[in-house]
Amino acid sequence: MHHRALPLLLPNAWDVPSALALVAAGFEAVGTTSFGVASSLGRPDGARATRDANTALARALSTLDCHISMDVEDGYADDPEEIAGYVAALPVAGVNIEDSTAERLVPPAAYAAKVAAVKRRCPGIFVNARVDTYWLGQDATVESTVDRAARYVEAGADGVFVPGATAPDVLRELTAAIPAPVNVLVLPGRSLAELAELGIRRVSTGSLPYRAAMHAATEVALAVRDGRAVPDAVPYAEIQGRLVGYAASVG
């Protein structure tokens, strides 16, 4: 799926209804967003608050007719074997693991050990190694990013995610130098075809759908209050029908 004419577009869900909607829209693969999951719990992202919630969500999504990739933050631990055990218990096709903890990059050797442990324990799972250099503005150079990515691919990573990298010349350099499919966040104004020309093989929506949903909910309330036209919404019967079907499938 990472080697088609256009990059794999991976939309990110945060619960069962959002995943059901994406599957109904025809997506073959659905990711999750740790921000959306954490926010729905009333917790900030990146604080290792989604470990149990993501375990439950992975199990809840395992019956869907699509590939599921879980965003598991930094793996919720520093010990590689502990992370490998956690991932092994997730009934999913892939995971996204960050090379930062508490908003700071971790040493690349420490993160590579996490990747290696996961691949030893779960050789069939797609490990998307997230390099946070550009996202955090730390060592945000092509050279540093490529060095980290190369170590992660050598350790077994199947793909490399570089959120925050947006400049076309930077993306060209990254995709030319990284020996694995490169993933970026949605870049407003750039089509999938344009990103394919830059060498990008996967595009994630990240927390954008969740944040758009929060915006839409507020806009509905404001429209009613202010006497404006109410924005479009999915019919109640349509969502209810999906949930009835889902409930029947899981017993």
Side-chain angles (χ1 to χ4, degrees), residues 212-240:
M214 296 301 98
H215 174 74
T218 304
E219 281 300 301
V220 168
L222 290 173
V224 174
R225 185 194 69 183
D226 300 339
R228 294 184 281 111
V230 175
D232 290 339
V234 180
Y236 171 92
E238 185 174 329
I239 297 178
Q240 176 73 347

Side-chain angles (χ1 to χ4, degrees), residues 83-223:
I83 294 169
Y86 176 78
V87 173
L90 301 176
V92 297
V95 290
N96 184 79
I97 309 177
E98 304 160 6
D99 73 343
S100 63
T101 296
E103 301 289 304
R104 300 299 303 175
L105 292 174
V106 301
Y111 179 82
K114 293 183 179 184
V115 173
V118 170
K119 291 301 289 187
R120 282 195 302 271
R121 186 80 172 266
C122 319
I125 201 163
F126 190 101
V127 174
N128 201 36
R130 188 174 122 173
V131 182
D132 279 346
T133 48
Y134 285 91
W135 184 250
L136 297 176
Q138 299 168 19
D139 293 338
T141 65
V142 169
E143 293 75 18
S144 177
T145 303
V146 168
D147 177 68
R148 283 176 170 268
R151 295 187 189 206
Y152 305 160
V153 173
E154 185 177 0
D158 302 284
V160 173
F161 183 20
V162 192
T166 59
D169 57 336
V170 168
L171 296 180
R172 284 193 188 93
E173 289 188 69
L174 291 176
T175 58
I178 294 173
V182 174
N183 178 190
V184 295
L185 285 172
V186 171
L187 299 182
R190 294 201 178 275
S191 67
L192 292 179
E194 290 172 324
L195 291 174
E197 291 177 358
L198 297 175
I200 300 301
R201 301 312 317 149
R202 172 163 155 177
V203 178
S204 298
T205 62
S207 65
L208 179 59
Y210 176 81
R211 292 182 286 111
M214 296 301 98
H215 174 74
T218 304
E219 281 300 301
V220 168
L222 290 173

Side-chain angles (χ1 to χ4, degrees), residues 3-134:
H3 300 283
R4 296 173 178 173
L6 292 178
L8 168 64
L9 176 59
L10 189 73
N12 297 83
W14 58 93
D15 59 11
V16 169
S18 58
L20 288 173
L22 293 169
V23 173
F27 288 97
E28 301 174 79
V30 173
T32 64
T33 161
S34 66
F35 178 86
V37 175
S39 179
S40 66
L41 297 172
R43 302 291 295 275
D45 191 21
R48 295 184 175 177
T50 61
R51 178 188 175 105
D52 293 342
N54 266 337
T55 298
L57 182 58
R59 291 170 180 163
L61 301 183
S62 65
T63 63
L64 301 189
D65 186 22
C66 70
H67 301 291
I68 297 295
S69 179
M70 297 296 297
D71 178 357
V72 296
E73 298 188 18
D74 67 346
Y76 309 115
D78 299 320
D79 178 60
E81 294 304 325
E82 183 179 345
I83 294 169
Y86 176 78
V87 173
L90 301 176
V92 297
V95 290
N96 184 79
I97 309 177
E98 304 160 6
D99 73 343
S100 63
T101 296
E103 301 289 304
R104 300 299 303 175
L105 292 174
V106 301
Y111 179 82
K114 293 183 179 184
V115 173
V118 170
K119 291 301 289 187
R120 282 195 302 271
R121 186 80 172 266
C122 319
I125 201 163
F126 190 101
V127 174
N128 201 36
R130 188 174 122 173
V131 182
D132 279 346
T133 48
Y134 285 91

